[in-house]
Amino acid sequence: MKIGCPKEIKPQEFRVGMTPNAAREAVANGHDVIIETKAGAGAGFEDADYIDAGARVVDTAEEVFATADMIVKVKEPQAVERKMLRENQLLFTYLHLAPDPDQTHDLLASGATCIAYETVTDRNGGLPLLAPMSEVAGKLAPQVGAWTLQKANGGRGVLMGGVPGVNPARVVVIGGGVVGTHAARVAAGMGADVTVLDMSLPRLRYLDDTMRGEFKTSYASKGNTAELVAQADMVIGAVLVPGAAAPKLISRAQLSTMKPGAALVDVAIDQGGCFETSRATTHADPIYEVDGIMHYCVANMPGAVARTSTIALGNATMPFMLALANKGWKQACADDVHLLNGLNVHAGKLTYYAVGEALGLDVVSPQLVVKQAA
Ligand SMILES: NC(=O)c1ccc[n+]([C@@H]2O[C@H](COP(=O)([O-])OP(=O)(O)OC[C@H]3O[C@@H](n4cnc5c(N)ncnc54)[C@H](O)[C@@H]3O)[C@@H](O)[C@H]2O)c1
């Protein structure tokens, strides 16, 4: 198979769909890899690294799209990229179609087969191609929160780990899933006094069993949350209600109960944010103040560490990318229901029910599509 990887063109996106290692594996499996020049530059990979891996570097995205049987990317294809997709071509990338009717329309019109990273599942009911980005955002949250807490940045002027004779920062993490667990571990590693709140008792049990000693756990009742938030130097918002906007867990009125200069890091901002006063910010201008409380609400946190994020995403996508290339999408999806769950669009048909529901479009069963295509 000819596997193509264009340079990402969405603003502020520095990741790349294939690392040189992914290219090397694909070549070792007998495939041709075509990379757009400088595609990996933002993540610290040079054209020479891809050439060493056996890939061919071409000058334009047009050449990549015109040559490749499968396109591997990071972000959803932008309008100009969607025009280059064609019938029988396979697209493997993040899509997030439910809130994006224009993209959905264009992908249906292209005739291409589109597999979305974010809906591929695993046997534990998880989302293996989303998890690495949650791990990155979680580990980054205390780091950016610590910077926000610095006096010069408007923060309370509290050091995460304290020093002998001075208490460490109190960090409250709301939501003990992938983001929350990684955030709590890093905050605890920095020496902070950390409490994780969650609504799920099984999740709290798991955290208590596996992380005992590193941080405390507490049930996320309204009263408990309000009490802990009022004492916190930093609150990290890491909740997710699948398929829904994030619930608002701290109201504007509650800010007046908090310590002046405390930091709110709203990782759930990509789902609308879990604090009433959250609004999405960018890496260029990440923080703002409301009622004396500092807010950090960057919606694409992994972009700050594009190299780590690219490698983490590449590790997770590689086995699926190789299965698609080695077997073709029909056989690969027939063999693996978790990859089949990633199928969103095929030959002008929508194959993902939640997207159809969100956009009021007809959906064809993905199983049926695979059977008919076989
Ligand atoms: N900003 C970014 O760059 C970025 C990057 C990655 C992930 N995220 C976002 O971070 C959020 C968390 O992602 P995740 O992968 O950790 O999800 P997850 O499903 O692993 O964990 C979410 C946790 O929230 C808990 N929860 C749900 N409602 C709650 C409530 N009312 N109170 C307390 N806990 C509650 C759940 O029980 C679960 O344990 C998501 O919104 C995700 O989209 C943002």
Side-chain angles (χ1 to χ4, degrees):
M1 190 181 269
K2 291 188 169 62
I3 306 172
C5 176
K7 185 172 163 55
E8 292 297 318
I9 55 172
K10 193 165 180 177
Q12 297 277 307
E13 181 53 68
F14 300 107
R15 290 172 292 176
V16 60
M18 286 182 88
T19 60
N21 269 341
R24 185 171 282 108
E25 293 276 345
V27 169
N29 277 260
H31 306 291
D32 288 342
V33 177
I34 305 120
I35 306 272
E36 183 181 349
T37 183
K38 298 196 171 51
F45 297 118
E46 305 301 328
D47 286 352
D49 299 328
Y50 289 98
I51 291 167
D52 276 357
R56 185 155 63 87
V57 174
V58 298
D59 287 337
T60 62
E62 283 77 5
E63 282 173 83
V64 174
F65 277 85
T67 320
D69 304 306
M70 168 162 65
I71 300 285
V72 180
K73 271 176 55 60
V74 179
K75 295 307 277 188
E76 71 279 4
Q78 305 299 290
V80 45
E81 294 173 316
R82 302 198 295 258
K83 285 201 188 96
M84 293 190 276
L85 284 170
R86 58 171 196 277
E87 216 169 309
N88 295 325
Q89 201 166 35
L90 180 59
L91 173 67
F92 189 41
T93 191
Y94 288 119
L95 292 176
H96 299 286
L97 292 180
D100 195 346
D102 291 348
Q103 189 200 168
T104 306
H105 173 268
D106 288 355
L107 294 186
L108 289 169
S110 73
T113 299
C114 307
I115 299 184
Y117 290 166
E118 71 275 8
T119 65
V120 172
T121 52
D122 65 23
R123 73 172 78 137
N124 305 316
L127 301 169
L129 305 188
L130 267 190
M133 295 306 100
S134 287
E135 290 163 356
V136 169
K139 287 202 157 168
L140 204 52
Q143 192 173 312
V144 296
W147 177 81
T148 307
L149 270 183
Q150 291 176 23
K151 198 70 197 165
N153 299 322
R156 192 166 158 66
V158 169
L159 183 64
M160 289 290 269
V163 289
V166 182
N167 283 336
R170 283 192 181 178
V171 175
V172 172
V173 180
I174 312 182
V178 180
V179 168
T181 307
H182 283 78
R185 294 195 69 180
V186 166
M190 292 166 98
D193 172 356
V194 183
T195 305
V196 177
L197 290 157
D198 204 291
M199 296 282 269
S200 158
L201 279 178
R203 186 64 193 172
L204 290 177
R205 268 190 204 108
Y206 167 81
L207 290 177
D208 193 63
D209 280 350
T210 53
M211 309 287 172
R212 209 181 176 96
E214 275 192 64
F215 50 78
K216 291 165 267 185
T217 59
S218 196
Y219 188 68
S221 62
K222 277 198 168 42
N224 226 2
T225 305
E227 201 173 305
L228 286 163
V229 164
Q231 297 162 1
D233 297 295
M234 182 192 303
V235 180
I236 296 173
V239 298
L240 177 66
V241 180
K248 303 290 178 222
L249 302 174
I250 300 183
S251 66
R252 177 156 191 174
Q254 256 177 291
L255 299 189
S256 64
T257 69
M258 294 181 68
K259 298 176 181 173
L264 294 181
V265 179
D266 198 343
V267 186
I269 189 67
D270 62 340
Q271 298 291 329
C274 59
F275 312 135
E276 190 186 348
T277 42
S278 295
R279 60 171 166 79
T281 57
T282 63
H283 292 294
D285 192 10
I287 58 175
Y288 63 94
E289 179 255 317
V290 178
D291 298 346
I293 305 300
M294 300 309 298
H295 293 55
Y296 175 101
C297 304
V298 173
N300 65 331
M301 290 174 67
V305 287
R307 187 174 173 86
T308 301
S309 300
T310 291
I311 297 169
L313 182 62
N315 292 344
T317 56
M318 181 141 48
F320 296 105
M321 180 270 291
L322 288 177
L324 290 166
N326 290 344
K327 301 177 177 183
W329 76 270
K330 279 169 258 176
Q331 195 57 48
C333 286
D335 289 352
D336 181 358
V337 68
H338 298 296
L339 184 55
L340 180 65
N341 287 337
L343 187 68
N344 276 227
V345 171
H346 169 65
K349 297 187 186 85
L350 195 60
T351 54
Y352 198 78
Y353 285 102
V355 174
E357 205 172 297
L359 298 178
L361 295 172
D362 289 340
V363 174
V364 178
S365 142
Q367 280 85 359
L368 192 68
V369 160
V370 167
K371 235 184 236 162
Q372 285 173 344

PDB file of all heavy atoms in Angstrom, residues 43 71 75 154 307 342:
ATOM      1  N   ALA A  43       7.643  18.726  15.206  1.00  0.00           N
ATOM      2  CA  ALA A  43       7.826  17.736  16.274  1.00  0.00           C
ATOM      3  C   ALA A  43       9.292  17.316  16.377  1.00  0.00           C
ATOM      4  O   ALA A  43       9.615  16.360  17.080  1.00  0.00           O
ATOM      5  CB  ALA A  43       6.942  16.516  16.003  1.00  0.00           C
ATOM      6  N   ILE A  71      -4.174   7.914   3.735  1.00  0.00           N
ATOM      7  CA  ILE A  71      -3.611   9.158   4.287  1.00  0.00           C
ATOM      8  C   ILE A  71      -3.640   9.032   5.816  1.00  0.00           C
ATOM      9  O   ILE A  71      -4.694   8.755   6.392  1.00  0.00           O
ATOM     10  CB  ILE A  71      -4.476  10.384   3.874  1.00  0.00           C
ATOM     11  CG1 ILE A  71      -4.538  10.533   2.356  1.00  0.00           C
ATOM     12  CG2 ILE A  71      -3.979  11.653   4.556  1.00  0.00           C
ATOM     13  CD1 ILE A  71      -3.283  11.070   1.714  1.00  0.00           C
ATOM     14  N   LYS A  75      -4.922  15.985  12.730  1.00  0.00           N
ATOM     15  CA  LYS A  75      -6.184  16.719  12.852  1.00  0.00           C
ATOM     16  C   LYS A  75      -7.119  16.379  11.699  1.00  0.00           C
ATOM     17  O   LYS A  75      -6.707  15.870  10.653  1.00  0.00           O
ATOM     18  CB  LYS A  75      -5.930  18.236  12.840  1.00  0.00           C
ATOM     19  CG  LYS A  75      -5.139  18.730  14.016  1.00  0.00           C
ATOM     20  CD  LYS A  75      -5.712  18.315  15.349  1.00  0.00           C
ATOM     21  CE  LYS A  75      -6.829  19.220  15.811  1.00  0.00           C
ATOM     22  NZ  LYS A  75      -7.212  18.882  17.209  1.00  0.00           N
ATOM     23  N   GLY A 154       0.318  36.467  37.978  1.00  0.00           N
ATOM     24  CA  GLY A 154      -0.982  36.805  38.573  1.00  0.00           C
ATOM     25  C   GLY A 154      -1.404  35.823  39.647  1.00  0.00           C
ATOM     26  O   GLY A 154      -2.464  35.972  40.256  1.00  0.00           O
ATOM     27  N   ARG A 307       6.436  17.146  20.307  1.00  0.00           N
ATOM     28  CA  ARG A 307       7.280  15.970  20.050  1.00  0.00           C
ATOM     29  C   ARG A 307       6.801  14.773  20.886  1.00  0.00           C
ATOM     30  O   ARG A 307       6.564  13.687  20.357  1.00  0.00           O
ATOM     31  CB  ARG A 307       8.745  16.303  20.349  1.00  0.00           C
ATOM     32  CG  ARG A 307       9.687  15.189  19.949  1.00  0.00           C
ATOM     33  CD  ARG A 307      11.145  15.591  20.112  1.00  0.00           C
ATOM     34  NE  ARG A 307      12.012  14.458  19.885  1.00  0.00           N
ATOM     35  CZ  ARG A 307      12.460  14.071  18.691  1.00  0.00           C
ATOM     36  NH1 ARG A 307      12.121  14.727  17.613  1.00  0.00           N
ATOM     37  NH2 ARG A 307      13.245  13.023  18.580  1.00  0.00           N
ATOM     38  N   GLY A 342     -14.138   2.525  14.636  1.00  0.00           N
ATOM     39  CA  GLY A 342     -13.558   3.781  14.152  1.00  0.00           C
ATOM     40  C   GLY A 342     -14.114   4.216  12.808  1.00  0.00           C
ATOM     41  O   GLY A 342     -13.951   5.373  12.403  1.00  0.00           O
TER      42      GLY A 342
END
